[in-house]
Amino acid sequence: MQTEEKPLDLQVLPEGCISNVISLTSPRDACRLSLISTIFKRAGESDAVWERFLPSDYQAIISRSTSPVVPPDLSKKDLYFFLCDNPILIDGGLVDKCTGKKIYMLGARDLSITWGSTPEHWRWRALSESRFAEVAELLAVCWLEIIGKIETRMLSSKTIYKAYLVIKFGDGMYGLQRSPANVSVSVGGNASGSKRLVYMCTEDDAHITNLRTRSLELEGQFPKNREDGWMEIEMGELFNHEGEDGEVKMTLTETKGGHWKGGLIVLGLKRQLRENEQKNESKIEKQSVACRCPIVTASVLTN
């Protein structure tokens, strides 16, 4: 006669074993599992679990932060949720979202902009809605080239990133709607990286220009509006394996048209997780109540 197997009671496992299992899940799962029982609550709130959810270099992030002051002697869980409600400003542009991954934003001053130091072509000025001390405003060029670089070791490993150029258009914008720009993302000097065409204007502006010039059908992507009033141009994506691939190079060029253009305002370049990398971690529950996503605000300060 075959004996019936009894289900495994996980609560008989050592607390350290339960903590190790929970640490392999996510912050949301840890909050849910801590509601099962007393032993799961102790395990799910342990430092061993929540340290796994913090960035691996969180101590360096806190030591370089300029604001706010992180209270001493916080548990790792309390530290995690402190970052939910208190964005940390640091000098390297690092952002930790609820996945524990890193996001960088390079301000315009950290980019290589052709003719960027020539007052006749570009103007540097403060903008109240900018997180950076200065933005770059295009006055007049016929050769537009913007390049941003970052080491892969600064990004999270085994993560798919997308690159965006964050921009606005000034009231006197001209020439940008005539030809699409080439954008690319490459790693370690690999010329076969992600490439695409993008327009540096709204779709309506591009269509109006095409009607006037009787051009062919539009080819290329358009900037997308953000909630903060800025726009994003998607430049491409990459998979960061172990952070040992060298330098990521992100480039935007429009040099073939030969026409003059101006009115582009550049905030900076952003590297963020691809959307489907964020979906499973986009909402974290704290004691079965939806909570905020921990963010270390990306900012690069200029002197």
Side-chain angles (χ1 to χ4, degrees), residues 258-275:
H259 56 276
W260 290 89
K261 41 197 160 279
L264 178 70
I265 300 174
V266 178
L267 176 66
L269 262 173
K270 181 180 71 172
R271 293 215 65 88
Q272 72 176 38
L273 307 185
R274 194 171 67 176
E275 184 178 357

Side-chain angles (χ1 to χ4, degrees), residues 175-209:
L176 295 170
Q177 69 272 38
R178 291 184 57 181
S179 301
N182 292 282
V183 294
S184 63
V185 176
S186 59
V187 183
N190 182 6
S192 61
S194 175
K195 299 178 181 179
R196 64 187 67 196
L197 290 175
V198 298
Y199 281 89
M200 292 175 292
C201 63
T202 65
E203 192 167 0
D204 288 342
D205 287 337
H207 278 297
I208 290 172
T209 300

Side-chain angles (χ1 to χ4, degrees), residues 138-198:
L138 173 60
L139 300 179
V141 296
C142 57
W143 183 287
L144 179 61
E145 184 176 44
I146 301 173
I147 299 173
K149 297 178 180 180
I150 189 172
E151 294 291 330
T152 55
R153 61 182 173 81
M154 305 297 289
L155 304 173
S156 293
S157 61
K158 296 181 176 61
T159 302
I160 300 176
Y161 281 93
K162 279 194 173 185
Y164 296 88
L165 183 68
V166 184
I167 62 167
K168 272 188 177 184
F169 300 117
D171 294 334
M173 187 267 283
Y174 67 94
L176 295 170
Q177 69 272 38
R178 291 184 57 181
S179 301
N182 292 282
V183 294
S184 63
V185 176
S186 59
V187 183
N190 182 6
S192 61
S194 175
K195 299 178 181 179
R196 64 187 67 196
L197 290 175
V198 298

